[in-house]
Amino acid sequence: MSTLTLRPAPAPTGPPAVPATGAHARLDSRVRFGAGIALWAALLLVTGWWASGGGVRDLGGWESGLTSAGRLTGLLASVLLLVQVLLMARMPVLERAFGQDGLAALHRTVGFTSFTGMLAHVGLITWGYAAGELSAAPGELWDMTWTVPGMLPAAAGTACLVLVVVTSVRTARVRLRYESWHLLHLYAYLGVGLALPHQLWTGQEFTGSATRTVFWWGLWTAALLAVLVWRIALPLARSVRHRLVVTAVVPEGDGSVSVHLAGRRLDALGARAGQFLTWRFLSGTGWTRGHPYSLSAMPDGRSLRITVKDLGDGSAAVARLRPGTRVLVEGPFGRLTARARTAPDVLLIGAGVGITPLRALAEEFCAGPGRVTLVHRYAGTPLFARELTALARTRGCELVPVAGRRRGDGSWLGHGVGPVDDLTALRTWAPDLAHRDVYVCGPEVWTGLVLRTLTAAGVPAGRVHVEHFGW
Ligand SMILES: Cc1cc2nc3c(=O)[nH]c(=O)nc-3n(C[C@H](O)[C@H](O)[C@H](O)COP(=O)(O)OP(=O)(O)OC[C@H]3O[C@@H](n4cnc5c(N)ncnc54)[C@H](O)[C@@H]3O)c2cc1C
């Protein structure tokens, strides 16, 4: 194991690599703000309709109060259910503003909230209809399911959503293979669809006026169209248009291979360094399962490259791909790109196979000494050692290899750095840390430790850009 000498970073020279306008970052932040406002406006609107329909007045009585509260939770849950679908529809404007992991985190929060609202809706309405007698509620629920129009499909839809939520709770999720969890998760679409007849036939707030009808149908149509366009039609159209094929599979050592791909008009794919796509290699069984892999080289309009570490059956199969294999892609996705950049100087911190998107970013960003520093952490054989050394030599990026096993639970650095704490080491490599954009990619726990050090160093949250390789 090599011991790293802590070498202070050289002073930046030359003009900044990019002007620090941060225009895209500001636009993305406005989109995030606008999306938040739209969500709250929709929730307030339906609450207003509930209140104007006697919702507040009905809260005065016990039975009517239960039913009224049940109506409100049902309305809010319905809005959130459709918002959840929109969040995962891969809409480019949201993808750019939040990033896919940001959207997934929101989807999770909104999902659990909407599910709780839906359970409260079922419980409160039934309790109210059972004349406020809790013991009579199960019988009432049974009767309503069989007699109220649209309730039977709604019950089936609720069962689908229960399945999805139960398998998404962290303790259950870690026991499932990603593929199984993902397949079960698709039942959420069925659950949402089955709730529709019940809402239209019995929900006064859904059809009580032309405005309400337009609002609900508009929301439903937007959710459906978003899924059809961005999750199905666009990936298919892109795959047909660009006709991506594997051109070579090159071993990189340490159980990793690089896959080189070529295709037509790849400039129009719009992929940027730091992004990832979901890949389906048409090489036989298992092709239906898409896997997300980041670009490991800056796209040049003619070819793409990914680098994959063997972590399971899907990634192991990549090493056996043959040149000429056709590929279907979804994406590009992710905001670990120049788009998120706000400052002229950049610090890239990557570990293990998480170095892949940073390798591509280094190629795009490196433009003179002292402007870009890449901290590369690895335990065994480093990925892209030769390529990164060449980038450092020819393009002036400052390379900091951090070798060796991690030195303990609280540190994200290897034994090679010697007896200094993580913050001191990082400040030595990048003294102007707080004024840089920092891009981070690596295992989840490791990333958490890096983020802690960055916070301690005073790097503003808006300057830290992270990609997680987990789900
Ligand atoms: C945004 C993103 C970018 C990624 N980029 C790269 C990359 O450039 N190079 C690389 O080697 N790996 C990358 N990964 C991880 C890679 O997708 C998984 O290692 C791979 O899908 C594992 O599939 P498997 O069938 O071989 O393994 P499995 O045995 O199914 O799983 C092995 C591990 O990978 C996780 N995993 C499996 N499928 C997925 C999936 N579809 N999405 C997320 N995690 C999954 C599992 O939770 C498990 O921890 C990336 C992941 C994400 C989310």
Side-chain angles (χ1 to χ4, degrees):
M1 182 197 316
S2 63
T3 298
L4 182 83
T5 320
L6 283 180
R7 222 161 14 100
T13 58
V18 290
T21 58
H24 282 136
R26 278 200 297 279
L27 177 66
D28 291 345
S29 136
R30 282 189 200 126
V31 170
R32 289 194 292 272
F33 183 71
I37 295 285
L39 171 61
W40 282 107
L43 293 174
L44 281 176
L45 188 66
V46 297
T47 306
W49 285 337
W50 164 83
S52 65
V56 180
R57 182 200 57 221
D58 291 347
L59 287 176
W62 172 237
E63 292 162 38
S64 62
L66 287 170
T67 318
S68 179
R71 273 183 16 236
L72 178 61
T73 52
L75 284 170
L76 298 176
S78 299
V79 172
L80 293 177
L81 209 56
L82 292 174
V83 166
Q84 250 185 297
V85 177
L86 285 170
L87 285 175
M88 292 319 275
R90 313 273 192 264
M91 290 162 70
V93 65
L94 294 183
E95 286 284 334
R96 281 195 293 269
F98 290 90
Q100 206 173 91
D101 43 5
L103 286 174
L106 268 177
H107 169 82
R108 199 175 154 77
T109 308
V110 170
F112 281 114
T113 313
S114 121
F115 182 69
T116 311
M118 194 191 70
L119 290 186
H121 166 69
V122 175
L124 289 167
I125 290 261
T126 314
W127 194 359
Y129 278 26
E133 298 282 339
L134 198 52
S135 57
E140 182 65 34
L141 182 62
W142 179 258
D143 288 347
M144 280 164 60
T145 305
W146 293 101
T147 55
V148 176
M151 271 296 286
L152 199 54
T158 306
C160 291
L161 293 172
V162 168
L163 175 78
V164 170
V165 170
V166 167
T167 53
S168 295
V169 174
R170 227 171 275 279
T171 41
R173 213 173 63 157
V174 293
R175 292 199 172 87
L176 284 173
R177 279 169 59 84
Y178 173 83
E179 290 88 355
S180 318
W181 171 82
H182 189 251
L183 206 62
L184 289 171
H185 217 74
L186 295 180
Y187 279 92
Y189 291 110
L190 186 61
V192 175
L194 286 170
L196 184 62
H198 156 65
Q199 294 176 353
L200 295 183
W201 290 336
T202 56
Q204 175 61 19
E205 279 83 356
F206 289 85
T207 51
S209 72
T211 321
R212 293 174 202 196
T213 307
V214 168
F215 171 82
W216 285 108
W217 277 108
L219 204 53
W220 274 91
T221 311
L224 180 67
L225 279 181
V227 171
L228 290 179
V229 169
W230 283 297
R231 292 217 69 164
I232 299 173
L234 189 69
L236 280 178
R238 280 194 172 145
S239 297
V240 170
R241 180 178 185 200
H242 298 295
R243 294 183 67 84
L244 273 166
V245 286
V246 173
T247 53
V249 179
V250 180
E252 297 279 2
D254 216 15
S256 301
V257 292
S258 282
V259 181
H260 295 252
L261 303 115
R264 290 190 309 200
R265 296 288 324 271
L266 291 185
D267 48 337
L269 183 60
R272 301 208 57 173
Q275 288 194 298
F276 67 94
L277 295 94
T278 300
W279 305 83
R280 288 183 173 83
F281 298 101
L282 305 184
S283 56
T285 49
W287 71 269
T288 50
R289 294 193 284 271
H291 291 276
Y293 298 118
S294 304
L295 298 172
S296 61
M298 193 172 86
D300 60 7
R302 293 181 308 280
S303 63
L304 298 173
R305 187 183 78 172
I306 54 173
T307 301
V308 176
K309 186 164 175 67
D310 171 1
L311 287 175
D313 44 3
S315 46
V318 171
R320 299 190 293 274
L321 288 173
R322 300 239 166 268
T325 305
R326 285 288 308 273
V327 186
L328 303 181
V329 285
E330 259 183 90
F333 302 123
R335 61 189 312 273
L336 195 78
T337 63
R339 189 184 168 83
R341 188 168 170 185
T342 59
D345 296 338
V346 172
L347 174 63
L348 308 169
I349 309 179
V353 77
I355 199 68
T356 44
L358 304 185
R359 151 70 185 83
L361 280 175
E363 195 177 344
E364 178 170 339
F365 289 165
C366 289
R371 296 262 168 230
V372 176
T373 301
L374 169 60
V375 177
H376 182 189
R377 154 113 200 86
Y378 53 90
T381 316
L383 263 179
F384 312 126
R386 256 188 335 174
E387 292 179 11
L388 291 174
T389 309
L391 266 178
R393 202 180 54 242
T394 57
R395 308 270 296 279
C397 110
E398 187 66 15
L399 186 60
V400 182
V402 183
R405 295 176 61 77
R406 252 186 44 212
R407 51 188 185 170
D409 280 347
S411 171
W412 53 273
L413 293 173
H415 282 290
V417 285
V420 285
D421 61 79
D422 294 4
L423 181 56
T424 308
L426 199 55
R427 281 206 169 120
T428 313
W429 298 322
D432 54 351
L433 183 59
H435 303 291
R436 292 185 182 226
D437 271 308
V438 188
Y439 290 73
V440 186
C441 190
E444 203 172 330
V445 175
W446 177 89
T447 303
L449 294 171
V450 175
L451 296 184
R452 208 170 64 185
T453 306
L454 293 174
T455 307
V459 183
R463 287 240 167 102
V464 181
H465 318 293
V466 182
E467 189 70 84
H468 290 289
F469 276 10
W471 55 286

